[in-house]
Amino acid sequence: MSDNDRLNPSQFAYGIRTVFGRELGAYFDSPIAYIYASVFLVLSCTTFMNSFFLDGVVDMSAYFDLLPFLLIPFVPAITMRTWAEEKAQHTFELIMTLPLLSVQIVMGKFVAALCFYALILLGGLPIVAMLLWLGEPDLGLILSNYLGALFLGAFFLAFGLFASGLTRDQIVAFVLATLMGFFFVLSGHEK
């Protein structure tokens, strides 16, 4: 199917859903996803708990201040295999010959990575429950911080997918995406 062919919205969504299901299943087929999620949650939650007990404030700002720095290495770990593995295993040509538009394939891969990231991000919700039990945190601020973290992760995922598409080696894709993340995080922070 060429990019000039017109699809109705349900056909377009079906193509994205097909690629999404394949990619999301690939994340959970290996133990790497569970190890990744565990390490990320342990690092993010323990560093928050350290600052929480030192400051004694019912607030999640320390968690969200640290999050961009944790995303620098962790988001490229999610995306490094996306296109690089397809090229290394010579399945890229097979995927591109499927009766799908290129945008459907890219969107399916991106949405799968975003859902995986969102699931890991939701692992921090027990902190919110703890804060509600201990006091009255600003839920609007917490919700907006989670939304911002989701958008920041989507941004990191986008250039991680881009870096993965540039090479057939997963390690090179990881290093490129990490360098891009490092540049973007440090360019937005004050001294």
Side-chain angles (χ1 to χ4, degrees), residues 71 75 79 110 114 117 121 147-159:
L71 294 180
V75 170
T79 60
F110 177 77
L114 186 61
Y117 168 71
L121 194 60
L147 191 60
L150 184 68
F151 288 149
L152 181 64
F155 175 63
F156 277 43
L157 288 168
F159 63 72

Side-chain angles (χ1 to χ4, degrees), residues 17-77:
R17 198 170 42 248
T18 302
V19 176
F20 167 80
R22 177 185 177 268
E23 289 296 314
L24 195 60
Y27 281 119
F28 290 106
D29 278 345
S30 72
I32 299 296
Y34 303 103
I35 294 168
Y36 167 82
S38 301
V39 169
F40 180 79
L41 289 172
V42 165
L43 280 175
S44 64
C45 292
T46 55
T47 53
F48 166 75
M49 294 308 286
N50 285 338
S51 67
F52 173 74
F53 285 117
L54 290 174
D55 296 340
V57 178
V58 182
D59 186 18
M60 282 187 74
S61 61
Y63 179 84
F64 291 109
D65 287 345
L66 177 70
L67 195 63
F69 295 102
L70 287 176
L71 294 180
I72 290 173
F74 281 105
V75 170

Side-chain angles (χ1 to χ4, degrees), residues 95-142:
I95 288 175
M96 296 315 276
T97 59
L98 292 174
L100 298 171
L101 299 174
S102 302
V103 70
Q104 289 173 302
I105 298 169
V106 172
M107 288 296 296
K109 286 180 176 282
F110 177 77
V111 173
L114 186 61
C115 283
F116 181 67
Y117 168 71
L119 286 172
I120 293 171
L121 194 60
L122 289 176
L125 286 179
I127 293 174
V128 178
M130 179 196 70
L131 293 178
L132 286 170
W133 185 64
L134 292 174
E136 296 180 16
D138 185 358
L139 291 179
L141 181 62
I142 291 173

